Amino acid sequence: MSDVPLIHLDGLTKTLTGQGEPRPILSGVNLTVHPGDSVAILGRSGSGKSTLLSLIGLFDRPDSGRYLLHGNDIARVPERRAARLRSQEFGFVFQRFFLLKHLTALQNVSMALVNGQGWLPRRKRRAKVMAALEQVGIAHLARHKPARLSGGEQQRVAIARALVREPKILLADEPTGALDTETGALVIDVLHAATHRGCGLVLVTHDHAHANRMQRVLRLTDGMLVPEHQGVFR
Ligand SMILES: Nc1ncnc2c1ncn2[C@@H]1O[C@H](COP(=O)(O)OP(=O)(O)OP(=O)(O)O)[C@@H](O)[C@H]1O
Ligand SMILES: [Mg+2]
């Protein structure tokens, strides 16, 4: 039971067509993520890291290959079901924080519950939101609006917003890209802490120090994920 992976990708492929010729971006991606696993994905710009996260997060579908979520093949789920799975299973964190600037931290995190989980009594919702802010270490800033928060604090609000729905998997696409190294390290701490509560974490990053905090470090190259040679860049 518990050895069914959260995510199992087997030979995923994706070709994208922009203005020009169709370009194969992913040519056979394999990846297995269990509860509590943390995986870093490195790769040069344009190698397809964000494309891969968008397939994992069900914003898009692969051309071929198998995608098992809790053991069920969802490579070709229709959009309605994908939307439901996105809000039930995944938490997303991006380089930009996408906070609503006229709302407080508490209200920003609250939005994730209003949109995703039907109706919750106000008191229950508030307790969940405060617990999420607590988890990322900024409960004391609950009443602050984004303009009064540092970049790192804003990203932690965004992470709390991802965590408040208790996702099984966190997908983070360069979450420290807009932050200095020290602040970035704090954000990685917060993401890492979620794996101790059983969340799977897939982190796309350009930062080797951050990547090396994860259990596994992979590199997306020629459309495939390969183990990164530890130590080469250190
Ligand atoms: N909708 C699209 N149509 C056509 N090509 C696309 C589309 N989206 C992305 N691409 C191309 O696919 C390739 C992979 O893009 P992707 O954004 O996944 O790379 P990335 O590894 O995340 O890069 P970065 O590190 O710069 O974020 C790039 O060459 C990009 O130009
Ligand atoms: Mg990208």
Side-chain angles (χ1 to χ4, degrees), residues 3-22:
D3 41 331
V4 175
L6 287 175
I7 289 176
H8 179 70
L9 309 181
D10 182 9
L12 281 204
T13 71
K14 185 72 181 176
T15 293
L16 293 177
T17 311
Q19 274 97 358
E21 293 279 289

Side-chain angles (χ1 to χ4, degrees), residues 15-26 41-54 60 95 173-174 204-206 220:
T15 293
L16 293 177
T17 311
Q19 274 97 358
E21 293 279 289
R23 271 193 52 205
I25 305 296
L26 303 176
I41 298 180
L42 298 164
R44 63 169 178 72
S45 183
S47 58
K49 304 180 297 296
S50 296
T51 303
L52 175 58
L53 279 198
S54 75
D60 201 357
Q95 178 168 342
D173 197 348
E174 298 189 46
V204 166
T205 181
H206 287 286
L220 187 56

Side-chain angles (χ1 to χ4, degrees), residues 70-211:
H70 307 297
N72 305 309
D73 198 334
I74 55 157
R76 269 157 286 278
V77 283
E79 179 51 30
R80 260 178 87 95
R81 172 132 184 267
R84 197 167 65 237
L85 289 170
R86 275 199 299 273
S87 78
Q88 286 173 352
E89 304 286 331
F90 298 100
F92 299 93
V93 184
F94 302 97
Q95 178 168 342
R96 294 187 52 208
F97 320 128
F98 298 115
L99 299 179
L100 298 171
K101 64 174 190 274
H102 59 287
L103 299 184
T104 65
L106 187 138
Q107 290 166 333
N108 265 284
V109 175
S110 224
M111 291 298 286
L113 292 179
V114 173
N115 291 334
Q117 296 212 325
W119 189 81
L120 264 183
R122 192 183 138 82
R123 208 145 39 99
K124 238 181 165 168
R125 198 167 67 213
R126 208 192 124 88
K128 271 182 184 261
V129 170
M130 287 309 295
L133 288 170
E134 194 84 55
Q135 278 171 29
V136 302
I138 53 166
H140 60 293
L141 302 175
R143 306 223 157 270
H144 288 222
K145 291 183 182 173
R148 285 178 62 203
L149 299 171
S150 71
E153 288 162 351
Q154 290 185 54
Q155 188 60 302
R156 284 191 276 167
V157 175
I159 295 170
R161 183 182 55 195
L163 289 174
V164 75
R165 293 193 215 171
E166 296 165 29
K168 314 288 189 308
I169 302 139
L170 270 178
L171 300 176
D173 197 348
E174 298 189 46
T176 62
L179 306 172
D180 64 67
T181 309
E182 215 169 302
T183 311
L186 260 171
V187 161
I188 297 297
D189 287 343
V190 165
L191 291 172
H192 206 264
T195 68
H196 299 146
R197 294 187 297 271
C199 211
L201 170 63
V202 181
L203 169 74
V204 166
T205 181
H206 287 286
D207 187 311
H208 282 86
H210 294 161

